[in-house]
Amino acid sequence: MTEEPGRTGATTTGAPGRGVTRTSGQASAGDLLALVRSGRATTRGALQQATGLSRATVGQRLDRLFRAGWLREGAGGPVDSPLGGRPSITLEFDDEHAVVLAADLDTRHARAALLTLTGEIVVEHSGALVVEDGPEAVLGELGRWFAGLLEKAGRGLDEVCGIGLAVPGPVDRDAGRVVQPPIMPGWDGYDIRGRLARAVTERAGAAAAPVPVLVDNDANLMAYAEQRAAYPDASAFVLVKVSTGIGAGVVVDGHIFRGTDGGAGDIGHIRVPEGAQALCRCGSYGCLAAVASGGAVARRLTAAGVPAESGSDVRKLLAGGHPEAVALAREAGRLVGDVLATVVTLLNPGVLMIAGDLAGTPFLTGVRELLYQRALPRSTARLEVVTSRLGERAGLIGAGALVVEHLYAPRRVEERLSALGV
């Protein structure tokens, strides 16, 4: 039921939509769509100039996109010639021809939404969903949530172009499976794409064509969404999510940096001296997550007589100004800040964003104390240390963007147009 995401390799340089991929020496229909979507060329004449194609060839390429329903004509543009004449008809990506389903799994809670192709949330649902209950139960419940969202929005499954899922563990993106996830017992190597696709069709009815499912790490997708929304000019962007566990997402030149097999950003399992006696959920001693995550702070609070089961409980205590929670969050921030000094020195990002359950003033204060003390001054001279702009919806928006950028990348566009017979 699912479609392999693969590696699109669709653009030559820069952020999604920039650059032109040549097909047999010429720009394809997918390249033209990318130029229109990015705003670099939005008239037939501008597309000719950008690609070097003839007027007739541009017209043929555009006709395929119009027949697929992915492109539409907008209002007339300005008249460039001093002699006057007809205004050029602008071209627009038709963002109403399909929708995206997305979900963001945390350890004990989840969010799901139906989004437009431009990333706007139409309807949303959140609730308790315990990842330790296993993939069969959790993905089955997500299928029920998605069916409810479609019904509420008055949409059918045949209008869904893809499904994006953010999970709290390392992901082999090509296979769409999590790999040895410390806080997702029972999920290692599980066919998430297949099960979620079945769950949706069981609840919402069969679609006209198989609905592709894409899976990625939650911190990756949060970073992707936040960078695109608020820091598009940041060539190196790092987001650190501190909730039940600790993970980081890295965006370089507009693209998620995943490493060789999806393990990039797993900073929660860097060894720190303060955790020498602390057993991590991965089975090792001394991991940063074992002493500085929301889960670690929750355990210390419970031991001190303040009941807390997870990072979300710690967040509630911090919101109420609980003194013990505030002190432990600041201490955790200092531990994370010490590790981030190395991360910042290595990557030299323009923006370091702290997100997740502990991303408040006490934790951020602790991060800054150690980060600026330990990192090289040159590495922090132009660094912005900030908190989330998109809040709890960042993972959803990132999951939706992952689907759209995959499905409308130039090479993938060509494959989809051929499958549609246009």
Side-chain angles (χ1 to χ4, degrees):
M1 288 297 296
T2 58
E3 175 181 312
E4 285 289 332
R7 299 181 187 274
T8 61
T11 56
T12 53
T13 59
R18 296 180 183 174
V20 174
T21 298
R22 302 284 176 173
T23 303
S24 301
Q26 291 191 332
S28 67
D31 292 317
L32 299 191
L33 183 63
L35 288 168
V36 172
R37 287 186 62 221
S38 68
R40 292 184 61 216
T42 58
T43 65
R44 287 169 173 81
L47 288 170
Q48 286 178 243
Q49 186 175 12
T51 62
L53 297 177
S54 69
R55 180 177 180 180
T57 302
V58 167
Q60 292 169 357
R61 303 274 198 273
L62 293 178
D63 183 59
R64 298 178 69 199
L65 298 170
F66 278 116
R67 282 187 285 152
W70 298 349
L71 210 58
R72 64 188 175 203
E73 290 186 342
V79 178
D80 294 330
S81 171
L83 300 177
R86 275 188 185 177
S88 299
I89 299 299
T90 59
L91 302 170
E92 300 175 350
F93 177 60
D94 188 342
D95 57 8
E96 297 178 356
H97 73 270
V99 293
V100 175
L101 291 172
D104 182 12
L105 287 182
D106 210 329
T107 53
R108 307 182 66 83
H109 185 270
R111 287 181 176 273
L114 182 146
L115 301 92
T116 68
L117 296 181
T118 54
E120 297 176 10
I121 294 177
V122 180
V123 288
E124 179 180 7
H125 177 81
S126 63
L129 202 56
V130 181
V131 75
E132 289 186 354
D133 288 345
E136 188 72 22
V138 169
L139 297 175
E141 183 66 2
L142 276 184
R144 187 178 73 82
W145 288 13
F146 282 149
L149 291 171
L150 287 168
E151 182 177 359
K152 188 174 181 180
R155 297 278 195 161
L157 187 57
D158 59 341
E159 298 176 78
V160 177
C161 65
I163 300 172
L165 178 63
V167 297
V171 175
D172 179 339
R173 183 170 174 253
D174 290 341
R177 301 172 187 242
V178 293
V179 181
Q180 300 176 0
I183 59 176
M184 299 178 71
W187 291 73
D188 185 24
Y190 186 85
D191 181 17
I192 295 175
R193 293 201 304 239
R195 175 64 181 117
L196 185 53
R198 289 194 302 274
V200 174
T201 55
E202 288 166 4
R203 294 286 188 171
V211 180
V213 177
L214 277 70
V215 186
D216 209 333
N217 172 262
D218 55 357
N220 282 348
L221 295 180
M222 291 170 68
Y224 193 44
E226 297 275 11
Q227 188 269 341
R228 288 161 59 93
Y231 301 95
D233 296 327
S235 59
F237 177 97
V238 176
L239 178 143
V240 179
K241 179 186 179 184
V242 186
S243 291
T244 298
I246 301 176
V250 180
V251 178
V252 177
D253 290 334
H255 301 281
I256 298 172
F257 179 76
R258 298 182 175 87
T260 301
D261 58 7
D266 207 358
I267 66 170
H269 301 286
I270 292 175
R271 304 291 177 84
V272 294
E274 294 82 356
Q277 304 302 316
L279 178 62
C280 182
R281 295 183 67 170
C282 73
S284 299
Y285 285 88
C287 294
L288 179 65
V291 291
S293 65
V297 172
R299 288 189 293 274
R300 293 185 65 181
L301 285 169
T302 300
V306 183
E309 292 186 11
S310 65
S312 60
D313 291 333
V314 177
R315 179 176 57 187
K316 293 173 185 176
L317 290 168
L318 289 171
H322 192 284
E324 186 73 14
V326 167
L328 289 176
R330 182 165 180 170
E331 182 181 338
R334 288 171 59 83
L335 294 172
V336 173
D338 198 7
V339 170
L340 289 178
T342 301
V343 173
V344 165
T345 300
L346 178 65
L347 297 178
N348 188 211
V351 179
L352 171 63
M353 178 174 284
I354 307 298
D357 292 326
L358 298 192
T361 300
F363 185 86
L364 197 62
T365 299
V367 167
R368 285 180 167 140
E369 284 179 11
L370 264 289
L371 173 62
Y372 287 103
Q373 178 183 328
R374 300 290 173 83
L376 292 172
R378 190 187 184 289
S379 299
T380 58
R382 299 173 61 187
L383 176 68
E384 292 184 64
V385 182
V386 299
T387 53
S388 173
R389 296 288 187 89
L390 300 177
E392 296 180 341
R393 293 183 173 90
L396 287 178
I397 295 171
L402 179 75
V403 171
V404 173
E405 293 305 330
H406 167 67
L407 292 179
Y408 296 94
R411 290 183 186 176
R412 191 69 191 95
V413 163
E414 289 302 306
E415 295 170 8
R416 295 176 67 205
L417 289 174
S418 296
L420 290 171
V422 298

